[in-house]
Coordinates of all heavy atoms in Angstrom, one line a residue:
E899 N 99.6 134.0 63.2 CA 100.2 135.3 62.8 C 100.7 135.3 61.4 O 100.4 136.3 60.7 CB 101.4 135.5 63.8 CG 102.1 136.8 63.5 CD 103.2 137.1 64.5 OE1 103.5 136.3 65.4 OE2 103.8 138.2 64.4
A900 N 101.5 134.3 60.9 CA 102.0 134.3 59.6 C 100.8 134.3 58.5 O 100.9 135.0 57.5 CB 102.8 133.0 59.3
E901 N 99.8 133.5 58.8 CA 98.6 133.5 57.9 C 97.9 134.8 57.9 O 97.3 135.2 56.9 CB 97.7 132.3 58.3 CG 98.4 131.0 58.1 CD 97.5 129.8 58.7 OE1 96.5 130.1 59.4 OE2 97.9 128.7 58.5
R902 N 97.8 135.5 59.1 CA 97.1 136.7 59.2 C 97.8 137.8 58.3 O 97.2 138.6 57.6 CB 97.0 137.2 60.6 CG 95.9 136.5 61.4 CD 95.6 137.0 62.7 NE 96.6 136.7 63.7 CZ 97.4 137.6 64.3 NH1 97.3 138.9 64.0 NH2 98.3 137.2 65.1
K903 N 99.2 137.8 58.5 CA 100.0 138.8 57.7 C 99.8 138.5 56.2 O 99.7 139.5 55.4 CB 101.4 138.7 58.2 CG 101.7 139.3 59.6 CD 103.1 139.2 60.0 CE 103.3 139.9 61.3 NZ 104.7 139.8 61.8
Q904 N 99.9 137.3 55.8 CA 99.7 137.0 54.4 C 98.3 137.4 53.9 O 98.2 137.9 52.8 CB 99.9 135.5 54.1 CG 99.9 135.1 52.7 CD 100.9 135.8 51.8 OE1 102.1 135.8 52.1 NE2 100.5 136.4 50.7
A905 N 97.3 137.1 54.7 CA 95.9 137.5 54.3 C 95.8 139.0 54.2 O 95.1 139.5 53.3 CB 94.9 137.0 55.4
A906 N 96.5 139.8 55.0 CA 96.4 141.2 54.9 C 97.1 141.7 53.6 O 96.5 142.6 52.9 CB 97.2 141.9 56.1
V907 N 98.2 141.1 53.2 CA 98.8 141.4 51.9 C 97.9 141.0 50.8 O 97.7 141.8 49.8 CB 100.2 140.6 51.8 CG1 100.8 140.8 50.4 CG2 101.2 141.1 52.8
D908 N 97.3 139.8 50.8 CA 96.4 139.4 49.8 C 95.2 140.3 49.7 O 94.7 140.6 48.5 CB 96.0 137.9 50.0 CG 97.1 136.9 49.9 OD1 98.1 137.2 49.2 OD2 96.9 135.8 50.4
A909 N 94.7 140.8 50.8 CA 93.6 141.7 50.8 C 93.9 143.0 50.1 O 93.1 143.5 49.3 CB 93.1 142.0 52.2
N910 N 95.1 143.5 50.3 CA 95.5 144.7 49.6 C 95.6 144.5 48.1 O 95.2 145.4 47.3 CB 96.9 145.2 50.1 CG 96.9 145.7 51.5 OD1 95.8 146.1 52.0 ND2 98.0 145.7 52.2
I911 N 96.1 143.3 47.7 CA 96.2 143.0 46.2 C 94.8 142.9 45.6 O 94.5 143.5 44.6 CB 97.0 141.7 46.0 CG1 98.4 141.9 46.5 CG2 96.9 141.3 44.6 CD1 99.2 140.6 46.5
V912 N 93.9 142.2 46.3 CA 92.5 142.1 45.8 C 91.8 143.4 45.7 O 91.1 143.7 44.7 CB 91.7 141.1 46.7 CG1 90.2 141.1 46.4 CG2 92.3 139.7 46.5
A913 N 92.0 144.3 46.7 CA 91.4 145.6 46.7 C 91.9 146.4 45.5 O 91.1 147.1 44.8 CB 91.8 146.4 48.0
Q914 N 93.2 146.3 45.2 CA 93.8 147.0 44.0 C 93.2 146.4 42.7 O 92.9 147.2 41.8 CB 95.3 146.9 44.0 CG 96.0 147.7 42.9 CD 97.5 147.6 43.0 OE1 98.0 146.8 43.8 NE2 98.1 148.5 42.3
Q915 N 93.0 145.1 42.7 CA 92.4 144.5 41.5 C 91.0 144.9 41.3 O 90.5 145.1 40.2 CB 92.6 143.0 41.6 CG 94.0 142.5 41.5 CD 94.2 141.0 41.9 OE1 93.4 140.5 42.6 NE2 95.3 140.4 41.4
I916 N 90.2 145.0 42.4 CA 88.8 145.5 42.3 C 88.8 146.9 41.8 O 88.0 147.2 40.9 CB 88.2 145.4 43.7 CG1 88.0 143.9 44.2 CG2 86.8 146.1 43.7 CD1 87.5 143.8 45.6
R917 N 89.7 147.7 42.3 CA 89.7 149.1 41.8 C 90.0 149.2 40.3 O 89.5 150.1 39.6 CB 90.8 149.9 42.6 CG 90.9 151.4 42.3 CD 92.0 152.0 43.0 NE 92.0 153.5 42.7 CZ 93.0 154.3 43.1 NH1 94.0 153.8 43.8 NH2 93.0 155.6 42.8
M918 N 90.9 148.4 39.9 CA 91.3 148.4 38.4 C 90.3 147.7 37.5 O 90.4 147.7 36.3 CB 92.7 147.7 38.3 CG 93.8 148.5 39.0 SD 95.4 147.5 39.0 CE 95.7 147.5 37.2
G919 N 89.3 147.1 38.1 CA 88.2 146.5 37.4 C 88.6 145.1 36.8 O 88.1 144.7 35.8
A920 N 89.5 144.5 37.5 CA 90.0 143.1 37.0 C 88.8 142.1 37.1 O 88.1 142.1 38.2 CB 91.2 142.6 37.8
G921 N 88.6 141.4 36.1 CA 87.5 140.4 36.1 C 87.7 139.3 37.1 O 86.8 138.7 37.7
I922 N 89.0 138.9 37.3 CA 89.4 137.8 38.1 C 90.4 138.2 39.1 O 91.4 138.9 38.7 CB 89.9 136.6 37.3 CG1 88.9 136.1 36.3 CG2 90.3 135.4 38.2 CD1 89.4 135.0 35.4
C923 N 90.2 137.9 40.4 CA 91.2 138.3 41.4 C 92.2 137.2 41.6 O 92.0 136.1 41.3 CB 90.4 138.6 42.7 SG 89.4 140.1 42.7
S924 N 93.3 137.6 42.2 CA 94.4 136.6 42.4 C 94.0 135.6 43.5 O 94.6 134.5 43.5 CB 95.7 137.3 42.9 OG 95.4 138.2 44.0
V925 N 93.1 135.9 44.3 CA 92.5 134.9 45.3 C 91.0 134.7 44.9 O 90.3 135.6 44.8 CB 92.6 135.4 46.7 CG1 92.0 134.4 47.7 CG2 94.0 135.7 47.1
S926 N 90.7 133.5 44.6 CA 89.3 133.2 44.2 C 88.4 133.2 45.4 O 88.8 133.1 46.6 CB 89.2 131.8 43.6 OG 89.5 130.8 44.5
F927 N 87.1 133.3 45.1 CA 86.1 133.3 46.2 C 86.1 132.0 47.0 O 86.1 132.0 48.2 CB 84.7 133.4 45.5 CG 83.5 133.4 46.5 CD1 83.1 134.6 47.1 CD2 82.9 132.2 46.8 CE1 82.0 134.6 48.0 CE2 81.8 132.2 47.7 CZ 81.4 133.4 48.3
E928 N 86.3 130.8 46.3 CA 86.4 129.5 47.0 C 87.6 129.4 47.8 O 87.5 128.9 48.9 CB 86.3 128.4 45.9 CG 85.0 128.2 45.3 CD 83.9 127.8 46.3 OE1 84.2 127.0 47.2 OE2 82.8 128.4 46.2
E929 N 88.7 129.9 47.3 CA 89.9 129.8 48.2 C 89.8 130.7 49.4 O 90.2 130.2 50.5 CB 91.1 130.3 47.3 CG 92.4 130.3 48.1 CD 93.6 130.9 47.4 OE1 93.5 131.1 46.2 OE2 94.6 131.2 48.1
A930 N 89.3 131.9 49.2 CA 89.1 132.8 50.4 C 88.1 132.1 51.4 O 88.3 132.2 52.6 CB 88.5 134.1 49.9
K931 N 87.1 131.5 50.9 CA 86.1 130.8 51.8 C 86.8 129.7 52.6 O 86.5 129.6 53.8 CB 84.9 130.2 51.0 CG 83.9 129.6 51.8 CD 82.7 129.1 51.0 CE 83.1 127.9 50.1 NZ 81.9 127.3 49.4
Q932 N 87.6 128.9 51.9 CA 88.3 127.8 52.6 C 89.2 128.3 53.7 O 89.4 127.8 54.8 CB 89.0 126.9 51.6 CG 88.0 126.1 50.7 CD 88.7 125.3 49.7 OE1 90.0 125.3 49.6 NE2 88.0 124.6 48.8
R933 N 90.0 129.4 53.3 CA 90.9 130.0 54.2 C 90.2 130.6 55.4 O 90.7 130.4 56.6 CB 91.8 131.0 53.5 CG 92.8 130.4 52.6 CD 93.5 131.4 51.7 NE 94.3 132.4 52.4 CZ 95.0 133.4 51.8 NH1 95.0 133.5 50.5 NH2 95.6 134.2 52.6
A934 N 89.1 131.3 55.2 CA 88.4 131.9 56.3 C 87.8 130.8 57.2 O 87.7 130.9 58.4 CB 87.3 132.8 55.8
S935 N 87.3 129.7 56.6 CA 86.7 128.6 57.4 C 87.7 128.0 58.3 O 87.5 127.7 59.4 CB 86.1 127.6 56.4 OG 85.0 128.1 55.7
K936 N 88.9 127.8 57.7 CA 90.0 127.2 58.5 C 90.4 128.1 59.6 O 90.7 127.6 60.7 CB 91.2 126.9 57.5 CG 92.4 126.2 58.2 CD 93.5 126.0 57.3 CE 94.7 125.3 58.0 NZ 95.8 125.1 57.1
A937 N 90.5 129.4 59.3 CA 91.0 130.3 60.4 C 89.9 130.4 61.5 O 90.3 130.4 62.7 CB 91.2 131.7 59.7
L938 N 88.7 130.5 61.2 CA 87.6 130.5 62.2 C 87.5 129.2 63.0 O 87.3 129.2 64.2 CB 86.3 130.8 61.5 CG 86.1 132.3 61.1 CD1 84.8 132.4 60.2 CD2 86.0 133.2 62.3
C939 N 87.7 128.1 62.3 CA 87.7 126.8 62.9 C 88.8 126.7 64.0 O 88.6 126.3 65.1 CB 87.8 125.7 61.9 SG 88.0 124.1 62.6
S940 N 90.0 127.1 63.6 CA 91.1 127.1 64.5 C 90.9 128.0 65.7 O 91.2 127.6 66.8 CB 92.4 127.5 63.8 OG 93.5 127.6 64.6
A941 N 90.3 129.2 65.5 CA 90.1 130.1 66.6 C 88.9 129.7 67.5 O 88.9 130.0 68.7 CB 89.8 131.5 66.0
A942 N 87.9 129.0 66.9 CA 86.7 128.7 67.7 C 86.5 127.3 68.1 O 85.6 127.0 68.8 CB 85.5 129.1 66.8
L943 N 87.5 126.4 67.8 CA 87.3 125.0 68.0 C 87.0 124.6 69.5 O 85.9 124.0 69.8 CB 88.5 124.2 67.6 CG 88.4 122.6 67.8 CD1 87.2 122.0 67.1 CD2 89.7 122.0 67.3
M944 N 87.9 125.0 70.4 CA 87.7 124.6 71.8 C 86.4 125.3 72.4 O 85.7 124.7 73.1 CB 88.9 125.0 72.6 CG 88.8 124.6 74.1 SD 88.3 122.8 74.3 CE 89.8 122.0 73.7
G945 N 86.2 126.6 71.9 CA 85.0 127.3 72.4 C 83.7 126.6 72.0 O 82.8 126.4 72.8

């Protein structure tokens, strides 16, 4: 839950940065990939 809420906030920030044409986002591609991998791993492990 805490990680989901933080991810939603981070997504809003990244969306705003994309709209403003920022070359670099506050969350990098690699960081987002690691966070998504961890979240999916946690949700799918037993399955």
Side-chain angles (χ1 to χ4, degrees):
E899 182 177 0
E901 294 172 352
R902 284 189 286 116
K903 289 181 177 179
Q904 183 59 52
V907 172
D908 290 341
N910 290 341
I911 295 171
V912 167
Q914 187 175 10
Q915 291 168 337
I916 294 173
R917 182 186 182 188
M918 295 173 64
I922 300 176
C923 293
S924 54
V925 178
S926 69
F927 180 88
E928 287 300 317
E929 179 188 343
K931 181 177 72 174
Q932 291 175 4
R933 286 169 64 177
S935 298
K936 182 180 177 182
L938 285 169
C939 174
S940 175
L943 179 59
M944 184 52 68

